[in-house]
Amino acid sequence: MINRIFGFFSHDIGIDLGTANTLVFVAGKGIVIREPSAVARHKKSKEILAIGSAAKKMEGRTPATIEAIRPLKDGVIADFDATAAMLTHYIRKVHESGTIIPKIPRPRVVVGIPSGVTEVERRAVVDAALSAGARSAYLVEEPMAAAIGAELPVEDPTGVFIVDIGGGTTEIAIISLGGIVLGRSIRIAGDEMDEAIVNYFRLKYSLLLGQPTAEEVKITIGSAVEVDKDKKEKFTVVRGRDLETGLPRSQKLGSDEVREALAPIVQELVGHIKDTLEEAPPELVSDIMKRGIVMAGGGSLIAGIAEMVSEATKTKVTVADDPISCVVRGCGKVLNDPALLKRIRVTSGLQ
């Protein structure tokens, strides 16, 4: 019994510290936490009031004394204290209680980060993980983790093309022999899509929507290509503030309008994917044509986006199984392979 308790508490942890969502993988247990990256706290005392789903429900609904924030922006830490509090909460949640048996070793943590972050931003992630109770923290670039999570042969001498559309960044990378040959980290992703929807309907209907409402519209009826003629257009009803009268108003929105709102963002993403492919060495392009492009991240679930990328690049495009969890599953696999971790990690921090 004691061995089972100690074995559980000493499990290593993989974390996808995303702008929109945080996922936690525990070795031997799988994915145990899927929560929004959100924190609610008192403005003056900075006391943490809620984390995760409870905090996300407070967005846009808080009184003057409380702020509901997303501690990460564009894939990097925007509020260190809130991020550390969020990580501490999740690590303690995994352990069920870190104070019952205080002599239990603290876990090793592998964190997925965008490939374009600076050294200072990397250090901030390591420091946040260590202050949250990790024994050691290792950083793995998100496109590499996503490719591993999608079970692509990243260590083979063949080209692998991965596109990970997250909340704050889109990671585009060509991987071969355990390293990123060519990569782009674009700060255009899910958040910009939500903002595009807000701006579009503000201009078209003089209707102001909140970010959570825009995100719900994107998930519900968002698409990248036209609906087939034999399929019915989708509609949803949203509620917001009329900018002319200042009063609440409901508005029926169609999927064609949402597609038009998302079009500039989607076209820009497709352009970056094409540019990356055009810059790739010929031998890797040959490999990619055989295997195709693999998409991961929540943004890859938008209807028709894979078809649009395929048409633009003239290459087969597939969406990974459970694309939202690819990065954290990759971090989990790296935990079980010390040799792979040593090869692909960005940097590490020890307390």
Side-chain angles (χ1 to χ4, degrees), residues 175-226:
I175 297 170
S176 180
L177 293 170
I180 295 177
V181 179
L182 200 62
R184 294 168 184 248
S185 182
I186 313 299
R187 296 192 175 185
I188 300 169
D191 286 350
E192 280 67 27
M193 293 181 188
D194 299 341
E195 189 176 338
I197 291 172
V198 170
N199 292 336
Y200 180 88
F201 292 110
R202 184 177 65 226
L203 293 172
K204 184 169 184 177
Y205 294 117
S206 293
L207 182 70
L208 184 61
L209 303 178
Q211 187 275 333
T213 301
E215 183 181 19
E216 186 178 346
V217 168
K218 177 186 69 178
I219 294 170
T220 306
I221 62 173
S223 64
V225 296
E226 283 190 46

Side-chain angles (χ1 to χ4, degrees), residues 223-228 255 259 266 302-305 307-309 311:
S223 64
V225 296
E226 283 190 46
V227 179
D228 293 339
S255 56
R259 182 174 63 253
V266 174
I302 293 176
I305 194 166
E307 290 85 345
M308 179 173 278
V309 173
E311 184 178 346

